[in-house]
Amino acid sequence: MGEFELIRRLFFREGPPGAAVLLGNGDDAALLRPAAGQALAVSSDMLVQGRHFLPDVDPYDLGHKALAVNLSDLAAMGARPCAFTLALALPRVEEAWLQRLADGMLALAEAHGCPLVGGDTTAGPLTLSVTVLGEVPPAQALRRAAAQVGDEVWVSGAVGLARLGLAVLRGEVTLPGKEAAAACAQLLRPQPRVALGLALRGVAHAAADVSDGLLADLGHVLAASGVAAELDVPALLEGPAVPACVRALPLATALSFILAGGDDYELVFTAPAAQRDAVLLAARRSATPVTRIGRIVAGPPATHPLADGLPRVRLCDAAGRPYALPDGVQLAGFDHFATM
Amino acid sequence: MGEFELIRRLFFREGPPGAAVLLGNGDDAALLRPAAGQALAVSSDMLVQGRHFLPDVDPYDLGHKALAVNLSDLAAMGARPCAFTLALALPRVEEAWLQRLADGMLALAEAHGCPLVGGDTTAGPLTLSVTVLGEVPPAQALRRAAAQVGDEVWVSGAVGLARLGLAVLRGEVTLPGKEAAAACAQLLRPQPRVALGLALRGVAHAAADVSDGLLADLGHVLAASGVAAELDVPALLEGPAVPACVRALPLATALSFILAGGDDYELVFTAPAAQRDAVLLAARRSATPVTRIGRIVAGPPATHPLADGLPRVRLCDAAGRPYALPDGVQLAGFDHFATM
């Protein structure tokens, strides 16, 4: 069995073909048919060794994360995953390593009904490039440009935890075993918030996933929408979005991790105040915690969401006055993924 | 202006949004809507420095080729290009180099009405991973598995020319300037046969593009279809599919380049004998030369098209007897792209 045939067998397994898949791997292209009335959402992300992961990464985690960061983009559109392609450059073919890579990737794919339908393998420096495709009724897509003045700002799950996981892996912070494991899991095996994204269709206005950091990714929504936001820092700091192990850090470190840590793959989204109950219902239905952290206010006109240098987020205290950040807060952002 | 903003401006230019594009770059995902009755064809190919191109490649050619090899996959499905994504790892950001890369890629994209709708950039060893999306009515897609006994085998354009271009670049062969330029152009700026693929809808049964070599890619069609083929070597050698500069090579070299050279990005396809006139009309309409080179005969049952070790091609002389290859013919295949 040649190396290519080995890779094909490890990655293309028997399983349900996927509802939208007319033709899977083995032809010049796969064929997908979105259901009537649905648009196809498309997103590509690339992971490169040394930049997004270290050579000693567990390949199971790597496979999981390469797909998870793409599924997270679909979640942020309110799209249901349909299928994905994988372009893989490998320095060498080691069966046990590749088996774990495939196991991690395909376990997540199966959990989301999102089969691998094609791709490419080549010799080269270890690089994984995933393109994911999902379905969403176009009028219900959670677009970055759809935030409106009067919306409230929400975030799912836990923020700052992945950055704490990185600090643990780097030996900068020591935590009890259970907390260290939770922080590292958020970094290494993020759970894309697909169920929440689907539940927020027709409820939320705008959404983005938190890959670069809460302020940066919220900033993308604000720039695309031509608005600004007030973030209630005490509500954020003391609310359920901040895990106890992050809250226990020195305040400047905690705020750095929460506001700019990145890599959490949570959703930051906006919804009209009148939809507050509907948001909470969507959160319950998708078994995903959400925290209300601020509100949308008038702001500068819209620009390209990734090319916006304008300050659009005002940090506030509980009384709505400017919140003074303590010395030492780092808001430069994680910037693992500069997504076009 | 930051490096990321520079890349965004070079690659995302003003232009028609594309008929199927509801939402382009700048959100978590692009949104595409295929026209009623159309399936979406999806293909991904990755180009890695040192394997698919050399460090001194003209970035214009590199940009062209990274998209062209993907468009060629759509052509081989009979699909019309809609949009593409680009994941790009770059060792450094050099504006002049990137400008030419974008120019080469976007000129081809514009010629095919196929806008860039998203992607990813990161620091890393130079790698380009393109995913292309196209439309095709599913019943008219040119699938590898659709070849039938009684079909005739055709190939478009010129075969062996890209491999000759490689020999010229390596200094193994010396040619007059015009012929050398044509050979290098086929290698460096292949023209995907999109118009021919569209014209062959409803005419051809099965198709693949010639990336790995004529025998290898025809073999993928045969394996998927559970058939075999007889190739008429004299008709191939003396017909218009073989350029004069390839025919002028020593016979063993010429046959190696023609049968196994790869990288030509022509289409090899099958069509019923009764459709011979329709094939020729499709060729005229798409301004693409085609050559009839053989016929489909009964063969072993179908296997996965990329995991087939069975001999399925019989080389014949003009009288239908076995054609004896001269000593020194290399049929191992180019294997630049092992596409899953």
Side-chain angles (χ1 to χ4, degrees):
Chain A
M1 186 162 66
E3 292 186 344
F4 172 72
E5 174 61 8
L6 170 68
I7 294 168
R8 198 186 64 75
R9 288 195 187 195
L10 290 175
F11 281 90
F12 290 105
R13 300 176 184 175
E14 291 299 319
V21 179
L22 295 179
L23 183 66
N25 81 91
D27 216 309
D28 294 287
L31 291 180
L32 304 180
R33 181 155 50 187
Q38 308 269 323
L40 218 64
V42 184
S43 183
S44 298
D45 270 310
M46 180 183 264
L47 270 64
V48 177
Q49 179 170 305
R51 180 146 178 97
H52 305 107
F53 58 91
L54 297 173
D56 65 353
V57 66
D58 179 340
Y60 189 101
D61 290 345
L62 179 59
H64 175 101
K65 188 160 182 174
L67 181 58
V69 302
N70 280 277
L71 291 174
S72 181
D73 285 318
L74 291 188
M77 294 299 288
R80 184 186 303 281
C82 291
F84 75 106
T85 66
L86 168 65
L88 181 61
L90 289 172
R92 72 199 71 83
V93 174
E94 287 172 19
E95 179 166 0
W97 191 94
L98 277 170
Q99 173 86 54
R100 275 191 71 74
L101 183 78
D103 285 349
M105 184 170 280
L106 297 179
L108 186 64
E110 280 159 31
H112 288 278
C114 183
L116 178 62
V117 295
D120 193 16
T121 55
T122 179
L126 185 56
T127 307
L128 296 90
S129 179
V130 169
T131 297
V132 74
L133 301 125
E135 287 181 336
V136 61
Q140 296 194 326
L142 307 176
R143 304 182 187 206
R144 289 185 177 176
Q148 293 179 25
V149 173
D151 280 1
E152 296 177 321
V153 180
W154 301 76
V155 70
S156 68
V159 287
L161 194 55
R163 181 63 185 83
L164 179 58
L166 185 63
V168 169
L169 289 185
R170 286 177 175 167
E172 297 164 358
V173 172
T174 306
L175 289 181
K178 198 175 156 188
E179 291 184 343
C184 292
Q186 179 98 343
L187 177 69
L188 299 173
R189 294 193 194 179
Q191 295 301 325
R193 297 302 194 180
V194 172
L196 177 63
L198 293 174
L200 288 173
R201 286 181 181 177
V203 174
H205 278 156
D209 69 330
V210 181
S211 52
D212 297 337
L214 182 59
L215 288 189
D217 290 307
L218 175 58
H220 297 156
V221 169
L222 304 175
S225 301
V227 296
E230 295 176 348
L231 275 201
D232 183 348
V233 179
L236 179 56
L237 263 175
E238 292 148 28
V242 175
C245 52
V246 174
R247 196 178 295 118
L249 296 166
L251 182 61
T253 306
L255 283 168
S256 302
F257 287 11
I258 294 164
L259 296 174
D263 240 12
D264 280 316
Y265 297 99
E266 299 293 353
L267 297 187
V268 58
F269 59 96
T270 82
Q275 292 279 40
R276 199 182 287 180
D277 288 345
V279 169
L280 295 172
L281 183 61
R284 263 203 309 283
R285 280 189 177 154
S286 60
T288 311
V290 297
T291 307
R292 190 159 42 86
I293 59 171
R295 67 208 68 82
I296 300 295
V297 298
T303 67
H304 192 284
L306 299 177
D308 187 62
L310 300 170
R312 292 180 182 269
V313 180
R314 203 158 63 217
L315 302 177
C316 298
D317 68 14
R321 289 170 304 217
Y323 179 90
L325 286 174
D327 287 345
V329 175
Q330 301 283 336
L331 298 184
F334 207 49
D335 197 22
H336 257 186
F337 299 91
T339 300
M340 288 194 281
Chain B
M1 185 163 66
E3 292 186 343
F4 173 71
E5 174 61 7
L6 170 67
I7 293 168
R8 199 188 64 75
R9 288 196 189 195
L10 290 176
F11 281 90
F12 289 105
R13 300 176 184 176
E14 290 300 319
V21 179
L22 295 177
L23 183 66
N25 81 91
D27 215 309
D28 295 287
L31 292 180
L32 303 181
R33 182 156 50 186
Q38 308 270 323
L40 219 62
V42 185
S43 183
S44 299
D45 270 311
M46 179 184 264
L47 269 64
V48 178
Q49 180 170 306
R51 182 149 176 91
H52 304 108
F53 57 91
L54 296 172
D56 65 353
V57 68
D58 180 340
Y60 189 100
D61 290 344
L62 179 59
H64 175 100
K65 187 159 181 173
L67 182 58
V69 302
N70 281 276
L71 291 175
S72 181
D73 284 320
L74 291 188
M77 294 300 287
R80 183 185 304 281
C82 290
F84 74 105
T85 66
L86 169 66
L88 181 61
L90 288 171
R92 71 199 73 83
V93 173
E94 286 172 21
E95 179 165 0
W97 191 94
L98 277 170
Q99 174 85 53
R100 275 192 69 74
L101 183 77
D103 285 348
M105 184 170 280
L106 297 179
L108 186 65
E110 280 160 32
H112 288 278
C114 182
L116 179 62
V117 295
D120 194 17
T121 54
T122 178
L126 184 57
T127 307
L128 296 92
S129 179
V130 169
T131 297
V132 75
L133 301 124
E135 287 180 336
V136 60
Q140 296 194 326
L142 306 176
R143 303 183 188 205
R144 289 185 178 178
Q148 293 179 24
V149 174
D151 281 1
E152 296 177 322
V153 180
W154 301 74
V155 70
S156 68
V159 288
L161 194 55
R163 181 63 186 80
L164 180 58
L166 185 63
V168 169
L169 290 185
R170 286 177 174 166
E172 297 165 357
V173 172
T174 306
L175 288 181
K178 197 173 157 190
E179 291 184 344
C184 292
Q186 178 98 341
L187 178 69
L188 298 173
R189 294 193 195 179
Q191 295 302 325
R193 297 301 194 180
V194 171
L196 177 63
L198 293 173
L200 288 174
R201 287 180 181 176
V203 173
H205 278 155
D209 69 329
V210 181
S211 53
D212 296 338
L214 181 60
L215 287 190
D217 291 306
L218 174 58
H220 298 155
V221 169
L222 302 176
S225 301
V227 295
E230 294 176 347
L231 275 201
D232 184 347
V233 179
L236 179 57
L237 262 175
E238 292 147 30
V242 174
C245 53
V246 174
R247 196 177 296 120
L249 296 167
L251 181 62
T253 306
L255 283 168
S256 302
F257 287 12
I258 293 164
L259 297 174
D263 240 11
D264 280 315
Y265 298 99
E266 298 293 352
L267 297 188
V268 58
F269 59 96
T270 81
Q275 293 278 41
R276 200 182 285 180
D277 288 345
V279 170
L280 294 172
L281 182 62
R284 263 203 309 281
R285 280 190 177 152
S286 61
T288 312
V290 297
T291 307
R292 190 158 45 86
I293 59 171
R295 67 208 68 83
I296 299 295
V297 297
T303 67
H304 192 285
L306 299 176
D308 187 61
L310 299 171
R312 291 179 183 269
V313 181
R314 203 160 60 217
L315 302 178
C316 299
D317 67 15
R321 288 169 305 215
Y323 179 90
L325 286 173
D327 286 346
V329 175
Q330 299 284 335
L331 299 183
F334 208 49
D335 197 22
H336 258 186
F337 299 91
T339 301
M340 289 193 280

